[in-house]
Amino acid sequence: MTAPPRLRPFPLGAVRIDDASVFARARDAMLHLARVYPVDRLLAVFRRNAGLDTRGATPPGNWEDFGHPEEQAWSEADYPGREHAPTANLLRGHYAGHFLSMLAHAAAGERDPVLEAKVDGFVTGLGEVQDALAATGRYSHPGFLAAYGEWQFSRLEGFAPYGEIWAPYYTCHKLMAGLLDAHELTGNKQALTIAVRMGRWVHKRLMRLEPQRRQKMWSLYIAGEFGGMNETLARLAVAAREPKFLETASFFDQDQVFEAGAAGTDLLTDMHANQHLPQLIGYIEEYEQTGETRYLEAAQGIWHQVVPGRMFAHGGTGESELWGPPDTVAGDVGHRNAETCAAYNLLKLARRLFAHTLDPAYMDYYERTVLNHVLGSRRAIPSDTSPEVTYMFPVHPGAFREYGNTGTCCGGTGLENHVKYQDTVYFQGDDGLYVNLPIDSDLEWAEAGLHVRLRSGFPLGEGTTLTLTGESSADRTIHLRVPSWAAGDLELRLNGEPTGVDPVPGEYVFLTRAWRSGDELHLTTPARLRAEPAIDDERQCALFLGPTLLLARSALTTPLPFPLADRRDAQGLITDASGTELLAELAATGVVQLDGVAFEPCWSGLDTKYHMYVRSRDAEIAFEGASGMPAVAVEILEEPAPSGWYTTAPTLRLHALEAASADDAAADPGGIRLEWRLDGGDWRPYTGPVPIETEGVQQIQARATDARGRAATTGREISVDTAPPRSRATVKELGSSWEITLHAEDGVSGVERIQWEGPGTFWGTFQEAFVRAIGPEPQVIEYAATDRAGNEEPRRRLVIPGTDGPR
């Protein structure tokens, strides 16, 4: 029994995002890359591995680069062991798979024969590599295709850790997904043939293993990461009409995740987010083909553990690629939040879950994330060589986006993100059309004989207008999503007249009729400025203007105070300007000014330093003495560092003001008593300037009390970090090379970066483990960490021995 979705997306070519939409700039930049980037560069790692001519092409670089010069395409039988196996770039091939998917999506969406021909050339090249590998007789099945030998897969079966191998089935998934996209979106038959051969090879490898062994393989951190292999194999079962592949897909069902999701048990804390999100999409595919509701329940169960309890304001999740505790957002802000790959997969999951459940909450998430995280992850410049996308989209104070990421995982998903914005704007079902996203676009609704033109000015408009051309042969229902951010008077009009239907934010409004040319359906969606508190700290707030998350421009790395107290009403924040005026300001200048702070849209694609959250500055922290009362002011004698942190112990000085009237002065012969306290501790008498030597974010409160016992209190928050972080290096021998991982700890402001340099490198920032080949001479690596306050430790030295000296 199957369980088809209740709603279906339209073909990519049936929907066109308007060139004036904010999404067009990222789409066009990625289409440019699709057209100019040479396929030979993507095939180079495969051709080198298969012993074919690379045609002088250099691979993309970064993770997608040639292996070690002495590395061979070892089979499972002739792999010499890690102590004798010089290796590097063990994830190579994954980026090429993403690029093939991007080309297929672009060719279908643009109906472009040039891009389609490029897909064909890419697939032909992969077919030649697969044939060359099969001709060696070296591998376990002629369907094997990779840019390295089969040994990584056999070592995974022996539970080899990340470092010796690097997620071989993850790379396999990207290749198979790219081939299936090429087949399904452009009709390339050879792509299906290659994918089927790969699927048979995967089936042969895994069917001989006990289920317990497979479960342990998939539980291995990163080494066992398999992307969406279950989804791709289930898709392949349909495309190839080979039910066996559905069994192969089930080999990747991870029992621990599956059972916890179905039972609603939260086990995500400290799990690798993007290692597990893609398999949930596979569970939806398996549900559709088997009708087993436990698959759907598992995907929904994990979804609700992530959204909203582990979701940042722009829709991202995770810190350093790992999930934090449940219902923890403010408490999980670190320095490497919100891997863009995770947002990519959450969007894919949201659209699949919505197609089955029709729950508008999935589309609320989709709108938030596709606009703010995904569009904002693409730098607003063109490039001939780089996707110019983010890896992390950080959320901490004073963050900035690091674009580029050629060859990385997020560089790969980023290739795909920006050429398929149209895929979820509209869905169709037996009961009509669903307009899910108010993105300016045009739809050919072939089944109804209608052309739909949507114009909203999203995200800077306050209404959505659908204009229809053609004649529907029967009554059709149009379901129009009312954004949850809409505030004020909402109205649905047909051809200028009220419909009598009351739109409700966060739900779909619908109208059924036989639609005719010239019909115009208009939904008003007024926008307001609002503050959205973090789920675990109501004082940490993100500001939204309608659907747009606003980023405060500031290089401070301390929380940015912002006056929110007593400014909220039922519709949003009370400001001098209306939502309409703020939208006009944002459209005209690219920023809005709020209380002296410039805010830019999260979707800008700019290079500024920003705060995604502001810190509510409430009245209890900024209290002024009333008339006739004593008053007290807090002064810090030193200036903070540019980061906003005090990197030397600051000094506190209090100032008292006498009673405001002569009567009060006469009644107050004893003067005013001053006291202070730190972080809600005991009150202490103030006798003179006081050094604040406690590290961290401190809440200073001061109190002035007159002889009548009347008191005035004020406060100030300061951040103190006077010590640099401490770093260390761990070294792992990999045969003829060393893998070096740099670690740093700072328990106060947190680690900003670790920098290192060695022979042939510069003093730069590196986040991941790196490999240095062993040469005859020792190598000196210098490294140091800097914290977010700006403290930098003295440089440390690591000496890597050469082959001519002792180890």
Side-chain angles (χ1 to χ4, degrees):
M1 184 178 72
T2 61
R6 297 162 66 184
L7 299 178
R8 308 176 302 279
F10 286 87
L12 288 173
V15 184
R16 175 72 185 179
I17 301 296
D18 188 73
D19 290 342
S21 168
V22 296
F23 293 92
R25 62 99 178 158
R27 176 200 66 192
D28 293 346
M30 203 61 78
L31 287 173
H32 171 76
L33 182 66
R35 290 184 170 110
V36 303
Y37 201 84
V39 167
D40 282 342
R41 293 194 64 184
L42 299 159
L43 289 170
V45 292
F46 295 93
R47 287 170 171 159
R48 167 73 68 85
N49 184 63
L52 300 177
D53 182 7
T54 62
R55 305 182 185 182
T58 58
N62 210 337
W63 300 354
E64 190 80 356
D65 210 339
F66 291 132
H68 191 282
E70 299 176 23
E71 186 177 341
Q72 298 179 34
W74 296 297
S75 70
E76 57 185 339
D78 56 17
Y79 174 61
R82 62 179 300 173
E83 62 278 0
H84 304 294
T87 60
N89 302 105
L90 290 177
L91 207 68
R92 60 187 183 271
H94 78 108
Y95 186 77
H98 280 298
F99 211 107
L100 180 55
S101 286
M102 183 263 277
L103 285 174
H105 281 92
E110 299 300 306
R111 301 179 180 178
D112 186 339
V114 174
L115 286 172
E116 189 171 322
K118 200 163 188 175
V119 170
D120 293 344
F122 200 157
V123 171
T124 297
L126 289 173
E128 292 169 351
V129 169
Q130 190 180 52
D131 289 343
L133 293 172
T136 67
R138 194 174 192 179
Y139 307 109
S140 66
H141 188 280
F144 173 69
L145 174 60
Y148 42 75
E150 197 175 6
W151 65 275
Q152 282 206 69
F153 296 91
S154 61
R155 289 299 300 127
L156 174 61
E157 292 165 11
F159 311 130
Y162 169 53
E164 181 181 358
I165 63 172
W166 191 353
Y169 279 105
Y170 175 94
T171 302
C172 181
H173 166 244
K174 305 313 169 192
L175 280 175
M176 293 187 72
L179 289 162
L180 270 181
D181 287 338
H183 170 67
E184 294 172 352
L185 296 172
T186 73
N188 187 292
K189 295 181 180 179
Q190 185 184 11
L192 180 61
T193 299
I194 298 169
V196 166
R197 294 174 70 189
M198 291 183 72
R200 291 170 180 166
W201 163 75
V202 172
H203 186 84
K204 181 180 179 182
R205 281 216 72 91
L206 294 180
M207 70 175 295
R208 64 187 184 181
L209 304 179
E210 312 86 10
Q212 296 83 355
R213 179 172 292 271
R214 291 196 296 261
Q215 291 300 311
K216 185 172 181 179
M217 287 162 53
W218 310 146
S219 70
L220 295 174
Y221 174 72
I222 293 183
E225 184 174 358
F226 57 77
M229 280 298 294
N230 54 347
E231 178 207 8
T232 295
L233 286 159
R235 286 171 60 194
L236 187 62
V238 174
R241 299 180 182 179
E242 287 197 32
K244 174 180 67 176
F245 291 137
L246 191 56
E247 179 190 8
T248 319
S250 72
F251 292 162
F252 291 92
D253 293 348
Q254 192 170 355
D255 290 349
Q256 182 187 27
V257 176
F258 188 93
E259 292 166 3
T265 304
D266 194 311
L267 49 57
L268 300 188
T269 302
D270 293 331
M271 290 181 71
H272 188 284
N274 206 53
Q275 182 166 347
H276 297 94
L277 283 172
Q279 69 185 262
L280 306 181
I281 304 163
Y283 292 160
I284 301 297
E285 188 74 37
E286 290 175 275
Y287 165 64
E288 291 177 2
Q289 293 194 40
T290 66
E292 295 183 27
T293 56
R294 60 195 183 105
Y295 281 114
L296 179 62
E297 292 167 354
Q300 288 178 298
I302 299 297
W303 169 274
H304 290 301
Q305 295 174 24
V306 177
V307 179
R310 290 179 169 95
M311 180 193 75
F312 296 106
H314 60 352
T317 188
E319 159 59 18
S320 292
E321 304 187 17
L322 306 179
W323 276 309
D327 294 325
T328 304
V329 172
D332 200 38
V333 172
H335 189 57
R336 300 191 69 226
N337 287 104
E339 182 185 9
T340 307
C341 277
Y344 160 91
N345 280 306
L346 281 168
L347 287 176
K348 293 177 73 173
L349 181 59
R351 71 194 296 267
R352 298 292 292 266
L353 288 171
F354 174 72
H356 282 281
T357 66
L358 308 190
D359 184 345
Y362 292 117
M363 283 297 113
D364 281 347
Y365 173 83
Y366 201 102
E367 180 191 83
R368 171 195 297 260
T369 307
V370 76
L371 173 66
N372 294 295
H373 192 144
V374 170
L375 179 56
S377 72
R378 200 341 174 142
R379 194 178 190 183
I381 62 169
S383 174
D384 291 354
T385 57
S386 170
E388 290 296 339
V389 294
T390 59
Y391 193 126
M392 300 295 178
F393 196 144
V395 306
H396 61 272
F400 63 94
R401 285 165 276 196
E402 297 184 48
Y403 302 103
N405 288 295
T406 299
T408 69
C409 57
C410 293
T413 52
L415 291 168
E416 299 180 44
N417 274 332
H418 307 285
V419 296
K420 57 183 182 71
Y421 283 119
Q422 71 269 42
D423 70 353
T424 308
V425 178
Y426 309 95
F427 281 175
Q428 60 182 323
D430 294 340
D431 62 343
L433 176 70
Y434 282 72
V435 183
N436 302 317
L437 304 172
I439 298 175
D440 288 1
S441 55
D442 288 82
L443 164 68
E444 293 296 337
W445 187 9
E447 289 84 348
L450 294 168
H451 176 94
V452 182
R453 183 177 187 265
L454 185 160
R455 294 296 181 268
S456 66
F458 179 83
L460 301 175
E462 294 184 279
T464 298
T465 300
L466 301 179
T467 305
L468 293 99
T469 305
E471 302 288 337
S472 60
S473 58
D475 284 358
R476 303 276 181 168
T477 302
I478 294 180
H479 304 255
L480 182 58
R481 181 175 146 269
V482 185
S484 58
W485 49 261
D489 296 327
L490 281 67
E491 187 179 32
L492 183 70
R493 285 179 171 263
L494 175 64
N495 299 328
E497 299 297 326
T499 60
V501 179
D502 293 326
V504 178
E507 298 183 7
Y508 280 76
V509 64
F510 63 91
L511 202 63
T512 303
R513 63 187 266 114
W515 299 92
R516 300 185 297 271
S517 280
D519 277 350
E520 187 173 277
L521 190 63
H522 179 78
L523 173 68
T524 58
T525 53
R528 286 286 302 271
L529 182 71
R530 72 183 192 279
E532 183 179 282
I535 197 168
D536 55 332
D537 186 350
E538 64 179 12
R539 293 185 58 211
Q540 180 160 308
C541 295
L543 298 188
F544 284 83
L545 179 57
T548 295
L549 172 61
L550 297 175
L551 304 178
R553 290 182 174 176
S554 173
L556 293 176
T557 60
T558 52
L560 185 68
F562 192 81
L564 293 175
D566 302 322
R567 293 180 62 176
R568 297 174 179 160
D569 62 19
Q571 298 295 331
L573 288 180
I574 301 170
T575 57
D576 293 334
S578 68
T580 301
E581 291 168 330
L582 291 173
L583 288 170
E585 180 184 353
L586 187 59
T589 67
V591 297
V592 290
Q593 297 286 336
L594 300 171
D595 294 86
V597 178
F599 286 82
E600 71 179 55
C602 191
W603 42 263
S604 67
L606 298 179
D607 295 284
T608 48
K609 291 188 175 183
Y610 61 83
H611 288 236
M612 188 170 291
Y613 293 95
V614 295
R615 188 75 172 164
S616 176
R617 188 172 70 231
D618 294 334
E620 64 181 6
I621 305 174
F623 182 86
E624 295 182 1
S627 176
M629 296 281 288
V632 60
V634 176
E635 179 187 12
I636 303 298
L637 299 183
E638 294 79 13
E639 290 293 322
S643 64
W645 288 80
Y646 290 90
T647 53
T648 58
T651 305
L652 164 70
R653 183 158 63 188
L654 303 185
H655 300 274
L657 302 178
E658 297 294 337
S661 69
D663 290 342
D664 290 331
D668 189 19
I672 294 176
R673 182 174 75 254
L674 294 178
E675 299 168 288
W676 69 283
R677 67 178 180 179
L678 202 60
D679 285 338
D682 295 334
W683 288 103
R684 312 176 202 180
Y686 175 80
T687 58
V690 181
I692 305 298
E693 297 177 340
T694 305
E695 303 275 295
V697 179
Q698 312 292 326
Q699 181 63 42
I700 298 172
Q701 285 185 294
R703 182 168 68 185
T705 308
D706 65 14
R708 294 183 178 182
R710 299 177 298 180
T713 305
T714 190
R716 180 168 180 176
E717 188 174 85
I718 62 171
S719 301
V720 182
D721 186 355
T722 63
R726 291 188 60 83
S727 62
R728 59 186 175 86
T730 57
V731 180
K732 182 187 298 182
E733 187 174 359
L734 302 177
S736 58
S737 60
W738 297 94
E739 180 186 80
I740 302 167
T741 306
L742 300 178
H743 312 265
E745 296 178 356
D746 186 287
V748 185
S749 63
V751 176
E752 173 75 14
R753 62 183 179 272
I754 307 175
Q755 294 172 282
W756 68 270
E757 67 179 344
T761 67
F762 57 93
W763 185 245
T765 301
F766 297 86
Q767 299 284 6
E768 305 294 337
F770 57 96
V771 175
R772 303 290 289 186
I774 299 174
E777 300 295 327
Q779 301 178 56
V780 177
I781 304 292
E782 292 191 337
Y783 61 96
T786 304
D787 63 25
R788 292 166 62 188
N791 299 300
E792 183 176 352
E793 68 173 340
R795 289 195 181 195
R796 300 177 180 273
R797 300 177 83 239
L798 172 69
V799 179
I800 302 174
T803 56
D804 295 343
R807 295 285 176 105

